[in-house]
Amino acid sequence: MNGEEFVSQLEGVRLRGRGRWTSKCPAHDDRSPSLSVREKDDGRILIKCFAGCEAQAIVESLGLTFSDLYPDKPISHHVRGVRHNSRDLLHLVRREAMVVVLAAEDLKNGKPLSEGDHSRLLAAVGRIAVVVNES
Ligand SMILES: [Zn+2]
């Protein structure tokens, strides 16, 4: 989304200049506008609460994720019919790689893989292969 779409979800928004807004922070009980929102030239949205809320808490209280603070990417990939952008794919690979690491740890510690763990491991390897093939 862009900066305007983002601030449309906030309260007490004031435009402070091109790509700059202040508003009430949705992550704490805000009486004065503590939140500063900036849209950078590359389309990224920067948020800062001067009362000290974490950016994570702010996006979550709006029901958003950090990927919503990035401009919609023209480059996208299709994995199993689902459209993913590059960031989603990195997250997916990281998560699936963790499944492989955990399985390796179990085996190293002499713990046999259960049937469920084994199929989860195969699924993880399959998903990583799909991402690599389609990237
Ligand atoms: Zn705040």
Side-chain angles (χ1 to χ4, degrees), residues 1 38-46 69-72:
M1 67 174 64
R38 244 187 95 189
E39 187 183 284
K40 294 187 53 169
D41 289 339
D42 63 8
R44 260 190 312 147
I45 300 167
L46 299 182
L69 300 183
Y70 285 78
D72 302 327

Side-chain angles (χ1 to χ4, degrees), residues 106-107 111-121:
D106 278 355
L107 289 175
K111 199 176 143 203
L113 288 180
S114 71
E115 202 59 44
D117 289 346
H118 184 240
S119 15
R120 183 67 187 87
L121 178 62

Side-chain angles (χ1 to χ4, degrees), residues 25 28 49 53:
C25 171
H28 77 274
C49 169
C53 296

Side-chain angles (χ1 to χ4, degrees), residues 37-101:
V37 179
R38 244 187 95 189
E39 187 183 284
K40 294 187 53 169
D41 289 339
D42 63 8
R44 260 190 312 147
I45 300 167
L46 299 182
I47 49 177
K48 177 165 177 59
C49 169
F50 289 99
C53 296
E54 298 282 336
Q56 172 107 26
I58 296 166
V59 292
E60 277 177 5
S61 64
L62 293 170
L64 301 172
T65 65
F66 272 118
S67 60
D68 293 311
L69 300 183
Y70 285 78
D72 302 327
K73 287 203 173 63
I75 305 161
S76 62
H77 304 271
H78 291 261
V79 175
R80 300 195 171 173
V82 184
R83 195 168 153 268
H84 293 277
N85 66 33
S86 310
R87 278 172 61 81
D88 292 339
L89 288 180
L90 275 180
H91 282 297
L92 188 145
V93 168
R94 198 181 299 156
R95 199 184 62 215
E96 299 304 318
M98 192 48 69
V99 172
V100 177
V101 168

Side-chain angles (χ1 to χ4, degrees), residues 1-11 13 21 23 37:
M1 67 174 64
N2 63 32
E4 262 169 31
E5 287 165 342
F6 182 77
V7 296
S8 73
Q9 309 186 43
L10 296 166
E11 284 176 35
V13 178
W21 300 265
S23 84
V37 179

